[in-house]
């Protein structure tokens, strides 16, 4: 086969409470919402949130969700968060909003764009979400 995988278009994750997921991904993290009207008209089984040009499809389900091995990394850009003290302030804001922040955070982690400050938090379903500065 003569193909090259060149980028990621979207991923789909199951969520037990769409409103809680949108509060986390849209209200708290500021990700744009797409396809809400199409979802409400039953044209698609998800509401999307946008990270750069990539979409995360939030797929509501009544079935139990096992997120114990899930890990999603979102790149953050900020002209203000370049030091450990500044990411500590972000952690304080997340905790104040009721978001679970894992112990021992923040930590400088390696990823596709090198080593940067990152913090592991949990979304409303308990899914591990890495917020990584870039």
């Amino acid at each position: 086969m003569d193909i090259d995988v060149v980028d990621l278009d979207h991923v789909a994750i199951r969520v037990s409470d769409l409103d809680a997921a949108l509060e986390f991904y849209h209200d708290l993290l500021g990700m744009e919402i797409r396809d809400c009207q199409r979802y409400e008209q039953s044209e698609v089984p998800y509401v999307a949130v946008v990270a750069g040009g990539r979409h995360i499809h939030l797929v509501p389900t009544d079935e139990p969700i096992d997120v114990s091995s899930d890990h999603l990394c979102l790149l953050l850009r900020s002209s203000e968060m370049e030091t450990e003290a500044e990411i500590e302030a972000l952690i304080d804001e997340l905790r104040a909003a009721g978001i679970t922040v894992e112990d021992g955070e923040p930590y400088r982690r390696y990823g596709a764009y090198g080593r940067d400050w990152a913090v592991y938090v949990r979304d409303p379903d308990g899914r591990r979400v890495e917020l990584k500065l870039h």
Side-chain angles (χ1 to χ4, degrees), residues 29-103:
L29 298 181
M31 297 172 73
E32 179 184 343
I33 296 175
R34 296 255 175 96
D35 299 314
C36 195
Q37 184 175 16
R38 293 177 63 210
Y39 171 76
E40 291 169 354
Q41 295 173 350
S42 299
E43 293 177 21
V44 295
Y46 61 83
V47 172
V49 289
V50 180
R54 309 322 167 246
H55 291 198
I56 300 173
H57 294 180
L58 305 175
V59 182
T61 183
D62 292 330
E63 298 175 11
I65 300 172
D66 177 10
V67 298
S68 60
S69 62
D70 287 2
H71 169 191
L72 178 65
C73 181
L74 300 173
L75 290 177
L76 309 178
R77 284 207 176 112
S78 172
S79 60
E80 298 176 11
M81 284 190 279
E82 296 178 6
T83 68
E84 185 176 6
E86 290 163 328
I87 199 166
E88 289 283 357
L90 171 65
I91 289 171
D92 290 343
E93 288 179 35
L94 293 169
R95 284 190 173 123
I99 301 302
T100 299
V101 177
E102 291 189 2
D103 292 337

Side-chain angles (χ1 to χ4, degrees), residues 10 14 17 19 50 53 78 84 92 118 125:
H10 71 275
R14 295 178 306 144
D17 183 334
D19 290 334
V50 180
S78 172
E84 185 176 6
D92 290 343
D125 283 302

Side-chain angles (χ1 to χ4, degrees), residues 1-8:
M1 208 176 350
D2 189 21
I3 62 168
D4 292 320
V5 177
V6 296
D7 207 344
L8 179 70

